[in-house]
């Protein structure tokens, strides 16, 4: 079976989804026809309200821009136009079945002072599109009201077809002017979702590091200090016992150092910083319980963040191979295709891997999705399993090179 975590559908898609299309119009009046008639009859009062508000807001706000209160009043009017657009979207959803997502809220509570927030409200594209919608709707609202009301008495046999044509024009207006169709709006919505994933992942990693330090190296170092204290007390009374305690403390030091190395490798291994993905992935593969063939075909190194995500993705997948797959062999391939970094990890195990199988793959998929990546699992029952990950390629910057040089010099000083 193939499971795929696809990227989220962009908000504000202006295309008509299958559920937006009512059944074909017919001579008999059905529920959809009556809802369209109700919407067309309500167009006149709704468009009149919107037109009066927009004209009043524009004339008052623009006219007072020569004074201190003009721009704040215009900004408040645009925010009110946003609310009118929200009401129109709700009316279209209820009566026309048009599913239009709500635009992102203006981030006015994020600070930055009064004037930056005022400027953000004044250049709000959603507010201005709502103003345009309400401004041009009055003639259309009058036309649809008159035609629909007249047809109820004069052309009632063909009214379903007339109502369908007028309602389709309304649907097009709502999708064109009231949907968050701007690319920036869609990107903001995606980043808001991805930011939560990144924050949760970072918090989980921090808790893991704290737990490992507290339960591992910290406890071992405390025991080491107590042992050395006892050895110091026995140094003159019983030198042999003190020597034995020092030997035991020496062993504890080695174990503590090994735990700290493992912990550091889990944060960001030095071999990845110094030598890149090829050497780092070969090191990970050597710790796998099955033979792993590693092939890295990269002419240059990607950005440090992308390189780190690729490393931890392969590391987690090889851990799953060791723990769950019952495989005899595995393979890791990494290469670049245009502006994407592709990773493929395969094994000849029993298969059956799933994103919701409790093997950490859902977390990997979320982490890749947060950076515009893609995660695909192909793992039929009985195997084999192939996991493909894609990451956006970003070139390594000068800051990355400086960090590598600093790390290398720090390592040489440490030795």
């Amino acid at each position: 079976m193939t499971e795929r975590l696809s990227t989220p559908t962009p908000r504000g898609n202006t295309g008509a989804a299958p559920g937006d299309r009512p059944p074909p119009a017919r001579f008999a009046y059905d529920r959809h026809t009556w809802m369209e008639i109700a919407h067309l009859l309500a167009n006149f009062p709704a468009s009149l309200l919107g037109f009066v508000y927009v004209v009043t807001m524009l004339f008052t706000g623009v006219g007072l821009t020569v004074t201190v209160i003009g721009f704040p009043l215009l900004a408040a009017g645009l925010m009110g136009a946003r609310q009118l657009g929200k009401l129109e979207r709700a009316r279209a959803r209820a009566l026309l079945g048009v599913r239009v997502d709500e635009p992102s809220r203006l981030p006015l509570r994020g600070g930055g002072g009064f004037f930056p927030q005022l400027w953000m409200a004044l250049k709000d594209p959603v507010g201005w599109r709502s103003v345009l919608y309400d401004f041009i709707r009055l003639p259309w609202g009058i036309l649809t009201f008159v035609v629909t009301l007249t047809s109820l008495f004069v052309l009632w046999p063909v009214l379903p077809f007339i109502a369908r044509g007028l309602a389709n024009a309304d649907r097009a207006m709502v999708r064109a002017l009231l949907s968050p169709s701007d690319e920036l709006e869609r990107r903001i919505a995606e980043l808001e979702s991805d930011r939560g994933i990144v924050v949760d992942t970072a918090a989980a990693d921090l808790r893991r590091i704290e737990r490992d330090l507290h339960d591992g190296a910290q406890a071992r170092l405390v025991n080491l200090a107590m042992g050395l204290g006892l050895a110091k007390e026995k140094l003159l009374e019983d030198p042999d016992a003190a020597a034995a305690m020092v030997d035991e403390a020496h062993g504890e030091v080695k174990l503590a150092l090994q735990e700290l190395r493992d912990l550091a490798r889990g944060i960001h291994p030095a071999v990845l910083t110094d030598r890149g993905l090829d050497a780092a992935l070969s090191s990970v593969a050597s710790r796998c319980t099955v033979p792993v063939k590693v092939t890295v075909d990269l002419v240059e190194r990607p950005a440090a963040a992308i390189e780190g995500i690729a490393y931890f993705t392969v590391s987690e997948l090889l851990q799953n191979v060791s723990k769950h797959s019952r495989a005899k062999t595995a393979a890791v391939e990494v290469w670049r295709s245009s502006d994407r970094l592709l990773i493929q990890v395969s094994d000849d195990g029993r298969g059956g891997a799933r994103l919701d199988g409790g093997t950490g793959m859902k977390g990997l998929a979320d982490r890749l999705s947060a950076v515009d990546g893609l995660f695909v699992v192909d793992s039929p029952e009985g195997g084999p399993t192939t996991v493909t990950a894609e990451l956006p390629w970003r070139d390594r910057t000068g800051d990355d090179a400086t960090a590598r040089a600093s790390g290398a010099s720090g390592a040489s000083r440490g030795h």
Side-chain angles (χ1 to χ4, degrees):
M1 62 179 174
T2 300
E3 299 196 22
R4 175 173 180 148
L5 184 73
S6 59
T7 52
T9 302
R11 291 168 53 129
N13 185 6
T14 57
D20 292 349
R21 302 190 186 98
R26 54 199 181 103
F27 288 101
Y29 286 29
D30 58 9
R31 180 175 61 90
H32 295 282
T33 299
W34 284 115
M35 292 172 66
E36 289 173 342
I37 292 173
H39 183 274
L40 295 171
L41 292 176
N43 270 350
F44 175 63
S47 61
L48 181 62
L49 173 65
F51 183 82
V52 170
Y53 175 83
V54 166
V55 170
T56 304
M57 180 268 293
L58 282 178
F59 275 102
T60 305
V62 174
L64 292 176
T65 52
V66 296
T67 67
V68 178
I69 64 172
F71 287 107
L73 187 62
L74 186 58
L78 287 171
M79 296 178 69
R82 263 182 167 254
Q83 299 306 311
L84 287 178
K86 184 177 181 179
L87 292 176
E88 284 297 304
R89 283 188 293 271
R91 188 166 72 97
R93 278 194 296 269
L95 297 177
L96 298 182
V98 179
R99 289 177 285 185
V100 177
D101 291 328
E102 295 295 327
S104 302
R105 293 183 179 181
L106 286 175
L108 298 178
R109 298 182 180 180
F114 172 74
F115 290 103
Q117 293 180 1
L118 176 63
W119 177 242
M120 186 183 301
L122 287 174
K123 66 177 184 178
D124 175 28
V126 176
W128 284 110
R129 288 204 305 269
S130 299
V131 167
L132 178 61
Y133 179 86
D134 289 321
F135 188 77
I136 66 175
R137 287 280 294 180
L138 182 59
W140 176 254
I142 295 173
L143 175 65
T144 56
F145 178 82
V146 172
V147 170
T148 305
L149 188 62
T150 303
S151 299
L152 273 173
F153 299 98
V154 179
L155 300 174
W156 58 267
V158 294
L159 178 57
F161 301 94
I162 297 175
R164 177 57 51 83
L166 297 175
N168 283 340
D170 265 334
R171 291 184 177 98
M173 288 186 194
V174 171
R175 293 192 183 103
L177 294 176
L178 297 184
S179 64
S181 56
D182 187 78
E183 182 64 29
L184 179 60
E185 281 288 317
R186 292 198 295 268
R187 188 61 182 153
I188 288 174
E190 293 173 5
L191 291 177
E192 285 176 347
S193 174
D194 293 344
R195 180 179 59 186
I197 295 174
V198 171
V199 170
D200 292 342
T201 302
D205 290 341
L206 181 60
R207 288 194 298 270
R208 177 183 60 81
I209 294 169
E210 291 174 345
R211 183 178 62 251
D212 291 345
L213 281 173
H214 183 271
D215 297 342
Q218 180 179 344
R220 197 173 295 280
L221 290 174
V222 169
N223 292 333
L224 173 63
M226 294 174 61
L228 288 176
L230 292 174
K232 182 180 179 181
E233 293 177 359
K234 291 181 175 292
L235 187 60
L236 296 178
E237 299 176 1
D238 191 351
D240 294 336
M245 296 178 73
V246 170
D247 286 339
E248 183 179 350
H250 186 253
E252 289 287 326
V253 169
K254 290 183 177 180
L255 291 174
L257 287 174
Q258 182 60 43
E259 288 182 356
L260 288 174
R261 288 193 190 99
D262 293 339
L263 181 61
R265 186 183 296 115
I267 298 172
H268 197 84
V271 66
L272 177 63
T273 303
D274 297 338
R275 299 173 57 191
L277 275 174
D278 196 354
L281 296 183
S282 297
S283 176
V284 171
S286 67
R287 299 194 297 271
C288 188
T289 58
V290 301
V292 180
K293 179 182 178 182
V294 178
T295 304
V296 178
D297 183 14
L298 296 177
V299 177
E300 57 182 333
R301 295 175 62 178
I306 299 300
E307 197 174 56
I309 294 174
Y311 171 83
F312 289 114
T313 299
V314 174
S315 179
E316 181 73 21
L317 290 174
L318 289 182
Q319 287 184 32
N320 287 339
V321 171
S322 297
K323 294 178 181 178
H324 308 292
S325 70
R326 299 180 185 174
K328 295 180 180 179
T329 60
V332 175
E333 295 180 73
V334 181
W335 71 98
R336 178 181 179 180
S337 176
S338 184
D339 59 347
R340 307 290 284 180
L341 177 66
L342 282 81
I343 304 165
Q344 192 168 83
V345 179
S346 57
D347 66 75
D348 57 358
R350 60 178 180 173
R354 304 190 311 275
L355 290 177
D356 58 351
T359 57
M361 288 194 178
K362 183 64 166 64
L364 287 176
D366 289 341
R367 180 173 293 191
L368 266 66
S369 175
V371 293
D372 291 336
L374 190 66
F375 192 79
V376 180
V377 180
D378 183 9
S379 183
E381 292 292 340
T385 296
T386 301
V387 179
T388 304
E390 291 186 19
L391 288 166
W393 179 275
R394 293 207 298 267
D395 291 328
R396 212 166 182 85
T397 63
D399 293 339
D400 294 330
T402 302
R404 290 202 309 276
S406 301
S409 62
S412 63
R413 288 195 300 271
H415 290 300

